[in-house]
């Protein structure tokens, strides 16, 4: 996949990789790992967390996955239901001997009470596919060519010759499905389809996952989508589509910040656009921006300019102490400048 400038160069410098021998040896020694994901977990985050914890248990490793308040988007609750009853805990157990952080681009995005510092006393592992990941753990396996972290967990299991149960296969398949938008994004490689095919062979319940992810919209989520459609704007040149959800939009729909997932796919679905953005105020006073690039357009540079990160064509930002109008205005200016090949104005963040 060709991407522009910095993102492209960085991707080039980080080649597709398997975990190092040191990583595998250290991982082979853990006995009571706690598995951590990122804030506002998506299907890939939950799939890689729960799938890894669940498969380690079949190896007599006492793994748990930590999810504060068991909070997820409503549409992803089914993934919790797939797990062993005691697999998902709210706090890091005192007896944990290691931490495995999956699908999390930076330490500050770790979804654990007290943040990544709360894990500082433990040897740590990172399994991730964000090219901006700074290798923040003791042992790191970052493969930016992987479409999903769930697919990486599957590759790890294959390398280690761990047997995958149908439940683990379903959890990992949900993650692969999620991060490729149902195998429709440019990150859908032959390798990722091969992984999906092997997960199917291992017993992944494709119709259940497909129904849950694509055809199980609750009334509250549906109301939220209606407002995303309602608020969608396209710039005069047709290059940028965006929408927004105010704090009132989200709460009046019966939703919360946790339910903001991939609604940016609505402005993104417009023909001919190059950048799609969704602005949401899930928490009063904090504006989250989801950015997507279409075709060859990378949006990572825009996200990084505002202190965010992610992938070349799927990135995010959080802006505090700013109004929705102000953030939309600044992001539109930065997106236009980016498409014109100009440097964005300083003072983004
Ligand atoms: Mn992911």
């Amino acid at each position: 996949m060709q991407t522009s400038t910095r993102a492209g160069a960085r991707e080039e410098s980080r080649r597709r990789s398997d975990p190092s021998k040191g990583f595998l040896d250290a991982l082979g020694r853990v006995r009571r790992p706690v598995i951590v994901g990122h804030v506002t977990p998506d299907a890939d985050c939950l799939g890689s967390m729960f799938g890894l914890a669940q498969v380690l248990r079949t190896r007599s490793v006492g793994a748990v996955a930590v999810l504060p308040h068991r909070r997820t988007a409503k549409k992803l609750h089914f993934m919790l239901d797939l797990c062993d009853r005691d697999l998902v805990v709210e706090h890091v157990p005192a007896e944990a001997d290691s931490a495995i952080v999956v699908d999390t681009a930076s330490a500050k995005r770790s979804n654990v009470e007290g943040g990544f510092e709360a894990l500082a006393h433990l040897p740590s592992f990172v399994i991730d596919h964000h090219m901006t990941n700074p290798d923040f753990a003791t042992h790191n396996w970052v493969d930016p060519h992987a479409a999903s972290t769930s697919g990486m967990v599957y590759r790890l299991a294959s390398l280690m010759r761990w047997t995958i149960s149908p439940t683990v296969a379903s959890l990992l398949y949900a993650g692969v499905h999620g991060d490729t938008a149902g195998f429709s994004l440019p990150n859908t490689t032959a390798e990722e389809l091969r992984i999906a095919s092997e997960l199917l062979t291992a017993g992944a319940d494709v119709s259940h996952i497909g129904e849950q992810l694509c055809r199980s919209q609750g009334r509250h989520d549906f109301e939220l989508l209606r407002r995303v459609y309602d608020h969608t704007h396209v710039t005069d040149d047709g290059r940028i589509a965006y929408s927004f959800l105010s704090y009132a939009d989200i709460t009046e729909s019966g939703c919360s910040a946790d339910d903001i997932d991939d609604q940016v796919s609505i402005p993104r679905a417009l023909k001919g656009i190059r950048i799609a953005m969704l602005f949401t105020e899930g928490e009063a006073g904090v504006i989250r921006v989801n950015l997507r690039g279409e075709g060859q357009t990378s949006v990572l540079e825009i996200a990084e300019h505002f202190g965010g990160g992610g992938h070349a064509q799927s990135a995010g930002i959080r802006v505090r102490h700013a109004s929705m109008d102000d953030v939309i205005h600044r992001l539109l200016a930065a997106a236009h400048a980016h498409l014109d090949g100009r440097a964005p104005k300083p003072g983004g963040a």
Side-chain angles (χ1 to χ4, degrees), residues 12 14 41 46 73 75 91 111 123 128 136 200 227 230 234 245 254 267 281 309 327 330:
E12 196 49 39
R14 287 194 106 149
L46 297 180
K75 63 180 275 200
H91 307 282
N111 191 18
D128 185 35
F136 61 87
L200 230 81
R227 292 178 190 230
D230 247 12
V234 184
L245 292 165
E281 189 182 15
V327 176
R330 279 152 61 191

Side-chain angles (χ1 to χ4, degrees), residues 334-348:
H336 278 295
H338 181 64
L339 287 173
D340 293 342
R342 292 181 279 121
K345 287 206 179 76

Side-chain angles (χ1 to χ4, degrees), residues 46-47 49-51 53-54 57 65 70 77-88 167 171:
L46 297 180
M49 283 173 72
F50 300 166
Q54 197 83 58
R57 285 185 164 201
R70 296 174 70 89
H77 283 177
F78 78 96
M79 296 182 75
L80 276 163
D81 297 337
L82 287 171
C83 299
D84 285 357
R85 265 183 172 282
D86 59 345
L87 189 86
V88 181
T167 298
L171 287 163

Side-chain angles (χ1 to χ4, degrees), residues 74-128:
K74 285 192 283 298
K75 63 180 275 200
L76 299 178
H77 283 177
F78 78 96
M79 296 182 75
L80 276 163
D81 297 337
L82 287 171
C83 299
D84 285 357
R85 265 183 172 282
D86 59 345
L87 189 86
V88 181
V89 298
E90 296 191 32
H91 307 282
V92 176
E95 64 271 24
D97 70 355
S98 52
I100 309 175
V101 187
V102 296
D103 199 41
T104 302
S106 63
K108 70 172 189 209
R109 283 182 55 76
S110 303
N111 191 18
V112 61
E113 213 178 308
F116 187 69
E117 294 81 58
L119 308 168
H121 61 294
L122 299 171
S124 56
F125 296 80
V126 154
I127 302 176
D128 185 35

Side-chain angles (χ1 to χ4, degrees), residues 44 103 129 149 179:
D44 185 37
D103 199 41
H129 66 135
T149 303
D179 265 20

Side-chain angles (χ1 to χ4, degrees), residues 38 41-48 103-104 128-130 146-152 172-188 192 213 261-262 268 292 311 313-314:
H38 61 76
D42 56 12
D44 185 37
C45 177
L46 297 180
S48 52
D103 199 41
T104 302
D128 185 35
H129 66 135
H130 294 90
S148 64
T149 303
S150 297
M152 292 174 70
L172 297 178
Y173 179 86
V176 175
H177 186 288
D179 265 20
T180 57
F183 309 99
S184 72
L185 295 178
N187 63 2
T188 309
E192 210 68 18
L213 290 179
D261 181 28
D262 195 41
R268 186 186 199 171
R292 298 291 184 269
H311 307 286
Q313 296 192 298
S314 169

